[in-house]
Every structure is written in structure tokens, then in C-alpha cells.
Amino acid sequence: MTEDLPRSTTLRPGIRTFKPRRSRITPRAEQALARRTDLLIPFQDSLLDLARVWGEGTDVILEIGCGDGRATVTMAGQQPDVGIWAVDVHTPGLGTLLADLDVGAITNVRVTEADALAVLERMVTPHSLAGVRSYFPDPWPKARHHKRRLVQPGVLALVRSRLQPGAAWHLATDWQEYADAILAEFAADPGWIGGLIERPADRPITHYEQRALREGRTAVDLQFISR
Ligand SMILES: C[S@@+](CC[C@H](N)C(=O)[O-])C[C@H]1O[C@@H](n2cnc3c(N)ncnc32)[C@H](O)[C@@H]1O
């Protein structure tokens, strides 16, 4: 399925930041995907009018790699006036997210099943986003896979070009070496300022973070402001 997704041009040809996962979809997630098509924004090869989706003047935050959306749902519930655009390639996770939005009666989230880099390139108007979030991006720990990491120079340039000046990219990772690499990548780019921050009280513990904690790792939060 992921083979059919529109390709991003930010990374080298053939390189993607995600791996195809063939996990089974639950009936609950499948039903939510069929029922809540009103919350789905299909990938399109043209700019999306954010105001038409979330209302004129609404701040919109794009989440790259929302997974099953545990953080998405909790944080959207705490910020009902902010538009949240959750993007992932993992269909079962997006179904779970839609089901949980139903349970919480949360109306400010929209969901796109696509490579978030292609979404940023082709659907997002320059300097329109109020924020970007990436919680536990795949760490790609092997050196030969580092080229698949989300945080790399081309992606920094892409995200910055879509953020309003002064808006933030908030990340979290449980992989110390990736955290160090993230700090180094941003430090090398004069378009950003930031670093480690305290864990925001509103960011809940996701399944990935729970597993990391069980395995003895701890998460750090990082925030970088686009200049
Ligand atoms: C390790 S998981 C973390 C999920 C979630 N943020 C959490 O904390 O539970 C990383 C997620 O990022 C997604 N992902 C990676 N690269 C992506 C991309 N370019 N576009 C959309 N999703 C991506 C993967 O499919 C996966 O669901």
C-alpha cells in the first residue's frame, strides 16, 4: 500500500522516513475509517485552504507521524480552538485515532493518510502553519539508515518554509543518540533557534513512550522556533 503513496521530493529518490507496517486493523478502527470520512482530508496535488477546513484565523498545527493518535486526541481535546492536522501512513493507527475522536467528541482534528513530507510540499501554503509536531519519529538507529531520519537538512528547510515565522516544531524522542543528532542538525541551520525543553504537561505518554520506559529509556522534548 505504501508503494502507491505520492512520493516526496525532499529526500533522495527511494528514501522514505517510514517503513511499511502490515499490522492487522481492528474492526473498531475499520468502522471508524468508513464512518468518519468527514474527518479525512485525502492527499491532493494542490494547496489546501486551511481556513475552509478549520475556519478563518484558526491556528493549524500539523503532526507528522501521529501513529494511533494518542497524543493527538489528548492534546486536541485540551486545545479546542486550534486545528490539528494529523498525518501518517499507517492505516490501522489512523482508524484508531478516528474512533477515539468519536469517543471524545473532538471536532478540531482532520486526518490525512500520506507521506507527511509530500503533504508539506504540495498541500501546505508557505508560512501558513502555526506549528509542527513529531512525537517519537522512527530513530533509524543503524548508521546506514540515518538517511531515512525525519530530522535532516532538507526536511528542516521544508518545515521552516511552511511554518509562520516564530512558530515552533516540537519533537520528542526516546533515543539519546537521535536527540543529540537532532540538536546538531538544528544548530547547523541558522533558520532555527531552540533546544531541549521541559516535557509539556499536556503531552501524554504514548504507546511508544511506554515501551521505551519499560526498556529503560527516557524521553526528551525538543522545541525549535523558526526565525
Ligand atoms: C515510532 S511511531 C510514533 C507514533 C506516535 N507519534 C507515537 O508517539 O505513538 C512513528 C510514526 O511516524 C510515522 N511516519 C514516519 N515517517 C512518516 C512520514 N514521512 N509521513 C507520515 N508518517 C510518518 C510512522 O508510520 C509511525 O506511525
Side-chain angles (χ1 to χ4, degrees):
M1 177 228 94
T2 45
E3 289 314 307
D4 305 333
L5 292 172
R7 294 262 164 191
S8 143
T9 54
T10 299
L11 305 183
R12 298 212 315 258
I15 304 295
R16 298 184 131 173
T17 61
F18 50 87
K19 48 193 159 205
R21 282 189 285 156
R22 307 226 177 276
S23 51
R24 217 198 312 248
I25 187 162
T26 62
R28 176 177 183 265
E30 198 157 28
Q31 285 157 17
L33 280 165
R35 193 173 61 245
R36 295 312 307 264
T37 50
D38 57 318
L39 301 184
L40 292 175
I41 301 177
F43 180 85
Q44 64 187 41
D45 209 349
S46 58
L47 297 176
L48 181 77
D49 182 356
L50 299 181
R52 197 175 53 77
V53 178
W54 281 280
E56 199 65 55
T58 304
D59 282 344
V60 176
I61 296 177
L62 186 141
E63 183 174 355
I64 302 174
C66 59
D68 66 7
R70 179 173 291 198
T72 318
V73 172
T74 305
M75 295 174 83
Q78 291 165 356
Q79 296 177 296
D81 298 333
V82 173
I84 306 290
W85 189 357
V87 184
D88 206 299
V89 293
H90 187 54
T91 318
L94 296 176
T96 299
L97 164 58
L98 289 170
D100 290 345
L101 291 174
D102 255 1
V103 171
I106 289 167
T107 58
N108 52 329
V109 178
R110 297 293 179 276
V111 174
T112 296
E113 180 178 3
D115 181 338
L117 300 183
V119 169
L120 285 161
E121 287 163 11
R122 281 132 87 174
M123 294 179 72
V124 178
T125 303
H127 304 301
S128 62
L129 294 173
V132 168
R133 293 175 174 159
S134 314
Y135 299 144
F136 305 95
D138 300 286
W140 295 110
K142 292 180 183 153
R144 69 189 158 88
H145 286 150
H146 285 180
K147 56 183 180 287
R148 301 185 63 162
R149 284 180 164 175
L150 180 67
V151 178
Q152 54 174 295
V155 181
L156 263 61
L158 173 64
V159 171
R160 194 164 78 86
S161 72
R162 299 309 192 257
L163 281 176
Q164 299 164 7
W169 187 359
H170 178 203
L171 303 109
T173 183
D174 59 309
W175 208 263
Q176 181 61 48
E177 182 268 329
Y178 194 18
D180 292 341
I182 291 172
L183 288 166
E185 291 289 2
F186 278 95
D189 185 333
W192 295 93
I193 184 158
L196 294 169
I197 57 164
E198 290 284 311
R199 179 203 183 93
D202 64 348
R203 186 175 69 71
I205 295 187
T206 68
H207 292 125
Y208 280 93
E209 188 168 1
Q210 256 160 10
R211 193 177 62 196
L213 290 169
R214 277 200 306 275
E215 292 173 3
R217 297 188 299 280
T218 49
V220 293
D221 286 73
L222 306 102
Q223 181 171 269
F224 301 91
I225 310 290
S226 133
R227 302 206 219 217

